[in-house]
Amino acid sequence: ARARFNLVATTIPGTVTIPAGDSLVVVGGAINSPVVNDGLLIAQGTVTLGGALSNPGTLRVRGSAAYGTGALTVTNGFTNAGAIELTNIDGGYIATLTVTTGTLVNGATGTITAVAGLGGTRTITAAVLENLGVITLNAATTLSAVLDQRSTLTVAAALTLARADAAHVNSGTIAVTSLGTLTVTQTGTSPSFTNAAAGTITLAASRLFNVSGGTLDLTTGLLDGPMGTLATNGTTLLYTMATARARFSLVATTIPGTVTIPSGDSLVVVGGSIDSPIVNNGLLLTQGTVTLGGALSNTNTGTLRVRGSSTYGTAALTVTTGFTNAGAIEFTNIDGGYVANLTVTTGTLTNAPGG
């Protein structure tokens, strides 16, 4: 039978096996029998696989002008030992994969790829996505799943991780490349994103790691993006200077305890506010509009630098309560004509002897 299949209320006795080197194209309907894919299974249009799925081969979900969004639903969790591709063959068409119950496991030999194709978005929905293999996202993608990321995830386009009540964990490597943006949207009951001890998140220069809501725990592992930006909004941020190496943009963000910048180290804040007490023994660099709402101690080894730039505009630092400067305060810019200013809202700015 060499044809595309559109299967509505169709019974296929036994197991559907696609041999290596062969292919099956399904353009609608459902297969409720077990499927063993050793070759190529292409799903276009709206397709449901209702039986057990084994995928040592290639599973391709493809949007197209002929069949619209490629929307594949697999009713039971499965382990991918081969390749899953979400793509299209006509401009702007969407590809989605939904696992109704159970876990989508990307096995050690498995790959999941959001192919750039011809535009359009890609979506993966599952209760849990456990990655033991390689995930590469070259198209704008939404992951609506609890992410258990143990291996390699490359973000080369916009990735939004969004599922209510989720406790995401990265114990592998997440690489946000020069074309990527990582956005974690946290809602529901006690949502969190934790970078575990073995976890590394790399941010290419000028790239963003956006987190809204919930808790972001960066106290272990490494966020490595000294020229990238961590932007939080409505988030509780847990971190250490050693494990979070990025510029910070902090809106309505809670940092428990005191923020201490060690001598010889630095913290770059490019927007938002820090309402916790700050002890600066190193370099605190502010760009853009920044507010320090807690007590500020700028010690004799500390430098507070307010810097205007073309990237962030006027450097406008507001410190809400008076403080004593025992170290250095510098007003500067790195691009012609940009302004730097410091405002102390209440109390006295004291420049101590030696300051």
Side-chain angles (χ1 to χ4, degrees):
R2 311 303 295 179
R4 297 177 178 179
F5 284 13
N6 190 335
L7 307 170
V8 178
T10 300
T11 300
I12 303 175
T15 298
V16 176
T17 300
I18 305 166
D22 212 336
S23 62
L24 175 64
V25 181
V26 184
V27 297
I31 299 176
N32 291 318
S33 304
V35 174
V36 176
N37 177 33
D38 293 314
L40 171 62
L41 173 57
I42 298 177
Q44 297 187 92
T46 301
V47 175
T48 298
L49 302 181
L53 173 61
S54 174
N55 189 58
T58 297
L59 174 61
R60 184 174 297 150
V61 186
R62 190 166 71 185
S64 66
Y67 300 103
T69 294
L72 174 63
T73 297
V74 182
T75 60
N76 300 301
F78 69 98
T79 297
N80 171 49
I84 297 174
E85 300 174 357
L86 285 76
T87 187
N88 61 23
I89 53 174
D90 297 295
Y93 283 90
I94 294 168
T96 71
L97 170 62
T98 300
V99 178
T100 308
T101 60
T103 299
L104 170 56
V105 178
N106 191 42
T109 60
T111 63
I112 298 175
T113 305
V115 180
L118 300 170
T121 59
R122 317 286 183 254
T123 300
I124 299 174
T125 301
V128 178
L129 172 56
E130 180 181 336
N131 181 35
L132 306 175
V134 175
I135 299 177
T136 305
L137 305 177
N138 293 317
T141 301
T142 297
L143 294 182
S144 180
V146 175
L147 179 62
D148 182 2
Q149 167 21 45
R150 304 188 193 185
S151 187
T152 302
L153 169 58
T154 300
V155 182
L159 167 61
T160 299
L161 182 60
R163 190 176 182 90
D165 310 324
H168 307 292
V169 177
N170 173 51
S171 55
T173 299
I174 300 175
V176 182
T177 74
S178 60
L179 299 176
T181 300
L182 173 58
T183 298
V184 181
T185 302
Q186 303 195 109
T187 59
T189 303
S190 301
S192 62
F193 184 105
T194 299
N195 197 38
T200 299
I201 303 169
T202 61
L203 288 178
S206 302
R207 307 320 298 171
L208 292 171
F209 178 15
N210 301 307
V211 182
S212 63
T215 298
L216 174 62
D217 188 346
L218 301 176
T219 56
T220 59
L222 178 64
L223 169 61
D224 184 13
M227 299 302 290
T229 299
L230 169 65
T232 59
N233 190 332
T235 302
T236 297
L237 174 60
L238 309 175
Y239 80 103
T240 72
M241 296 295 298
T243 58
R245 312 301 296 179
R247 299 174 177 182
F248 283 12
S249 176
L250 307 171
V251 177
T253 296
T254 300
I255 303 175
T258 298
V259 175
T260 300
I261 305 167
S263 178
D265 212 336
S266 62
L267 176 64
V268 180
V269 184
V270 297
S273 63
I274 299 176
D275 293 325
S276 304
I278 296 176
V279 176
N280 179 31
N281 299 310
L283 170 63
L284 173 57
L285 170 61
T286 70
Q287 299 184 88
T289 301
V290 175
T291 299
L292 304 181
L296 172 62
S297 174
N298 196 50
T299 71
N300 61 356
T301 61
T303 298
L304 174 61
R305 184 174 298 149
V306 186
R307 189 169 74 184
S309 66
S310 60
T311 302
Y312 300 104
T314 294
L317 173 63
T318 298
V319 181
T320 59
T321 57
F323 69 98
T324 297
N325 171 49
I329 299 176
E330 300 174 357
F331 303 92
T332 186
N333 60 27
I334 52 173
D335 298 295
Y338 284 89
V339 175
N341 57 61
L342 168 64
T343 300
V344 179
T345 308
T346 60
T348 301
L349 169 57
T350 302
N351 194 40

